[in-house]
Amino acid sequence: MREVFRNELDDLATQLVEMSTRVSEAIRLANQALRSNDLELAEQVIEADIKIDSLQHVLDQQAAEILALQAPVAADLRAVIGALRMSASLERMGDLARHIAQQVRIRYPESAIPEHFTHTFVRMGESAEKIAEATRELLSHPGLEMVPTINAIDEELDELHLSVFSKIAEAPQGSLAPHHIADVTLLSRYFERFGDHAVSVSQKVEYLLTGNWEPHLSKK
């Protein structure tokens, strides 16, 4: 019975890795669609999010069954609860990648990024891809090494998010239409929240490995 239980926990971990892999691919393709104003690629990201949602549903259902049938305690209970919370964050990261792609679709054939903001969103996209890959690596090889890296990248995204509002304020009067301001505000928020959810995953991993609910390495 104990071996079956360990296999069930290992299966939860494997599913988290698959979710993070799909999230990493989703943000990569969403960034590409945003930069190149590629409607077909944006549609691909939107459709693929269904699979991430499905993976979360399956994982959460299995975790609930483990809680009901195995009644885990101590570290095993932390692992199951952690998996539930991480799956929620990963699903949300997938949603945010989808939202970026949807913004491309909404604004097409015009670009969703005004020229004045191109460099900022290129940097945001690069940071989002890096934090997604760091999250995938963290879940594939659990340890504390990637936690500070994820936190540092999230700080980059926070700074870039704030810089968008500075650029809006500094733009010459009349150079930005209301829909331009709405687009860059929404997109910036999506990227910023993407980073926050990656930090949430890293906090749960830190908790699982150390037993400390208050994270020391990841952002509070």
Side-chain angles (χ1 to χ4, degrees), residues 24-87:
S24 185
E25 178 71 358
I27 196 64
R28 184 184 69 82
L29 294 178
N31 282 331
Q32 186 177 335
L34 184 63
R35 289 193 301 267
S36 60
N37 197 29
D38 188 326
L39 179 59
E40 183 177 346
L41 196 56
E43 295 286 4
Q44 182 179 331
V45 174
I46 294 166
E47 293 175 8
D49 185 56
I50 296 173
K51 180 59 178 178
I52 297 175
D53 294 344
S54 176
L55 286 169
Q56 186 205 14
H57 176 75
V58 171
L59 186 152
D60 289 358
Q61 186 175 36
Q62 290 183 358
E65 290 175 356
I66 291 173
L67 290 172
L69 300 177
Q70 303 289 355
V73 295
D76 291 337
L77 179 60
R78 291 204 305 269
V80 178
I81 298 300
L84 282 167
R85 292 190 142 192
M86 286 186 278
S87 75

Side-chain angles (χ1 to χ4, degrees), residues 4-179:
V4 171
F5 179 47
R6 297 311 308 175
N7 288 339
E8 290 175 340
L9 291 181
D10 289 344
D11 190 42
L12 292 182
T14 298
Q15 290 180 71
L16 287 172
V17 172
E18 183 178 355
M19 286 186 72
S20 67
T21 300
R22 289 182 179 274
V23 165
S24 185
E25 178 71 358
I27 196 64
R28 184 184 69 82
L29 294 178
N31 282 331
Q32 186 177 335
L34 184 63
R35 289 193 301 267
S36 60
N37 197 29
D38 188 326
L39 179 59
E40 183 177 346
L41 196 56
E43 295 286 4
Q44 182 179 331
V45 174
I46 294 166
E47 293 175 8
D49 185 56
I50 296 173
K51 180 59 178 178
I52 297 175
D53 294 344
S54 176
L55 286 169
Q56 186 205 14
H57 176 75
V58 171
L59 186 152
D60 289 358
Q61 186 175 36
Q62 290 183 358
E65 290 175 356
I66 291 173
L67 290 172
L69 300 177
Q70 303 289 355
V73 295
D76 291 337
L77 179 60
R78 291 204 305 269
V80 178
I81 298 300
L84 282 167
R85 292 190 142 192
M86 286 186 278
S87 75
S89 289
L90 290 168
E91 189 274 336
R92 187 55 184 155
M93 291 170 78
D95 285 348
L96 290 162
R98 187 191 76 226
H99 291 338
I100 293 168
Q102 287 173 323
Q103 203 64 28
V104 174
R105 182 172 67 180
I106 289 169
R107 196 53 60 202
Y108 189 84
E110 182 182 349
S111 173
I113 306 176
E115 185 176 354
H116 183 59
F117 293 84
T118 299
H119 179 65
T120 299
F121 279 100
V122 166
R123 291 182 59 197
M124 291 190 88
E126 290 172 348
S127 293
E129 289 183 36
K130 286 191 297 182
I131 208 169
E133 184 57 25
T135 303
R136 187 199 65 77
E137 180 66 21
L138 175 67
L139 292 171
S140 299
H141 304 92
L144 298 177
E145 294 82 3
M146 295 303 298
V147 175
T149 298
I150 290 172
N151 190 52
I153 300 171
D154 183 58
E155 292 288 350
E156 293 175 10
L157 284 166
D158 289 346
E159 291 174 5
L160 288 165
H161 177 56
L162 291 175
S163 76
V164 168
F165 296 101
S166 297
K167 285 182 176 293
I168 292 173
E170 295 165 358
Q173 186 174 5
S175 64
L176 294 175
H179 75 267

